[in-house]
């Protein structure tokens, strides 16, 4: 457990160093500790060690965990970072402080309806499949922002999402392809930033502040490319038990 505190402190130092070498302020970057597969006791230790933002990738797993940590002070904020099935959208809209994995117009519509019923405005990020891998969820950025008419179709969908009143778009999220080195992930991160910058010009009525990108192996490269949220699991909690 002490190890978790040590690791969180080390990650925060690495985040700060990466920010400074990119000419950015360390406070611009939020660390989300990805607690998926780990027990409430371990997550509680992470919160005690200063992890104030937690990431889970499945509603089913997160539901009892969030309940188990309900009394913990200060209350951590919970981010959903995994694919959300529409039949779990209502539970997710109730449980999470932010949903980072809004990966389709239909899911956005479903979440918007549930958030409205719950009387809340739900912060979300739009997940983008930058690399075009068939196995990846997300709005498709096939061929980048210069590829017409694919980009025009994407823009039309994103405009619809940003017009919804009960979900509040805060930015974009992506998962880089599995790579042998962090350097290989950089083009993906750069493309997400370029997309964000272009969206901020074209759809200025929405907030495009956040770029959630970078995990244990490549968060430093992501920060160099402008990440405002990094999602770190193994580097804090150690390897996940194989399921
Ligand atoms: C598991 C997961 C992470 C954390 O990955 P690590 O390699 O453990 O840091 C980040 N983002 C998403 C979407 C994940 O599913």
């Amino acid at each position: 457990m002490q190890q978790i505190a040590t690791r969180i402190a080390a990650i925060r130092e690495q985040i700060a160093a990466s920010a400074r070498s990119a000419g950015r302020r360390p406070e611009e970057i939020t660390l989300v500790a990805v607690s998926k597969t780990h027990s409430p006791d371990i997550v509680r230790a992470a919160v005690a060690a200063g992890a104030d933002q937690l990431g889970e990738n499945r509603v089913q797993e997160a539901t009892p965990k969030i309940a188990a940590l309900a009394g913990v002070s200060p209350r951590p904020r919970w981010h959903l970072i995994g694919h959300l099935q529409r039949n779990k959208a209502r539970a997710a809209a109730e449980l999470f402080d932010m949903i980072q994995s809004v990966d389709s117009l239909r899911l956005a519509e479903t979440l918007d309806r549930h958030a409205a019923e719950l009387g809340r405005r739900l912060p979300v990020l739009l997940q983008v499949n930058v690399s075009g891998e068939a196995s990846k969820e997300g709005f498709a950025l096939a061929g980048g922002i210069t590829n017409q008419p694919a980009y025009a179709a994407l823009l039309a969908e994103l405009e619809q999402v940003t017009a919804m009143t009960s979900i509040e778009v805060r930015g974009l999220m992506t998962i880089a392809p599995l790579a042998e080195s962090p350097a290989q992930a950089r083009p993906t991160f750069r493309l997400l930033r370029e997309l964000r910058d272009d969206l901020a010009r074209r759809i200025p009525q929405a907030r495009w502040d956040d770029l959630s990108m970078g995990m244990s192996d490549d968060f430093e490269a992501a920060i160099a490319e402008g990440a405002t949220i990094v999602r770190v699991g193994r580097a804090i909690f150690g390897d996940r038990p194989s399921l």
Side-chain angles (χ1 to χ4, degrees):
M1 298 278 181
Q2 185 52 40
Q3 207 177 9
I4 289 182
T6 309
R7 285 173 172 160
I8 290 175
I11 298 286
R12 289 206 192 278
E13 275 179 32
Q14 280 173 274
I15 289 173
S18 308
R20 282 189 213 102
S21 57
R24 306 179 57 203
R25 288 178 297 119
E27 314 82 75
E28 290 172 31
I29 294 129
T30 298
L31 171 63
V32 171
V34 177
S35 51
K36 68 190 185 196
T37 74
H38 298 291
S39 69
D41 282 347
I42 290 177
V43 182
R44 213 173 278 119
V47 173
D52 53 353
Q53 316 273 335
L54 299 169
E56 287 284 329
N57 69 338
R58 293 173 64 233
V59 173
Q60 213 169 338
E61 184 189 334
T63 302
K65 210 181 285 187
I66 293 174
L69 270 79
V72 167
S73 171
R75 188 184 86 82
R77 291 173 53 84
W78 294 90
H79 298 249
L80 181 66
I81 61 172
H83 176 62
L84 175 60
Q85 291 166 306
R86 280 184 297 126
N87 63 7
K88 302 216 171 72
R90 187 184 170 88
E94 247 183 309
L95 277 172
F96 287 92
D97 296 286
M98 172 181 265
I99 298 188
Q100 298 200 6
S101 46
V102 175
D103 54 14
S104 72
L105 182 56
R106 285 190 75 191
L107 175 60
E109 284 165 349
T110 306
L111 276 173
D112 186 55
R113 178 160 47 80
H114 289 305
E117 283 164 9
L118 292 163
R120 71 174 294 200
R121 192 131 199 264
L122 179 65
V124 304
L125 302 180
L126 305 181
Q127 183 174 349
V128 179
N129 179 358
V130 174
S131 59
E133 287 171 287
S135 60
K136 285 225 160 35
E137 316 282 349
F139 290 90
L141 182 67
I145 65 176
T146 54
N147 177 29
Q148 301 288 342
Y151 188 47
L154 174 63
L155 283 173
E157 285 199 349
L158 299 188
E159 269 181 33
Q160 288 186 63
V161 177
T162 55
M164 295 172 187
T165 52
S166 294
I167 58 175
E168 182 187 352
V169 175
R170 298 272 182 91
L172 304 175
M173 180 272 234
T174 200
I175 303 172
L178 265 186
E180 273 157 26
S181 76
Q184 289 177 322
R186 274 188 80 146
T188 299
F189 299 147
R190 188 172 313 145
L191 274 168
L192 193 75
R193 171 166 50 84
E194 286 171 7
L195 172 63
R196 190 278 307 272
D197 293 347
D198 197 57
L199 292 172
R201 280 190 293 272
R202 291 174 186 268
I203 313 178
Q205 61 276 25
R207 266 173 73 175
W208 299 103
D209 300 341
D210 278 320
L211 282 178
S212 174
M213 53 191 198
M215 322 201 306
S216 291
D217 293 330
D218 54 17
F219 68 88
E220 291 167 299
I223 290 168
E225 293 293 348
T228 66
I229 298 175
V230 294
R231 311 177 304 264
V232 178
R234 286 169 301 126
I236 292 174
F237 295 103
D239 283 335
R240 282 180 282 278
S242 49
L243 298 174

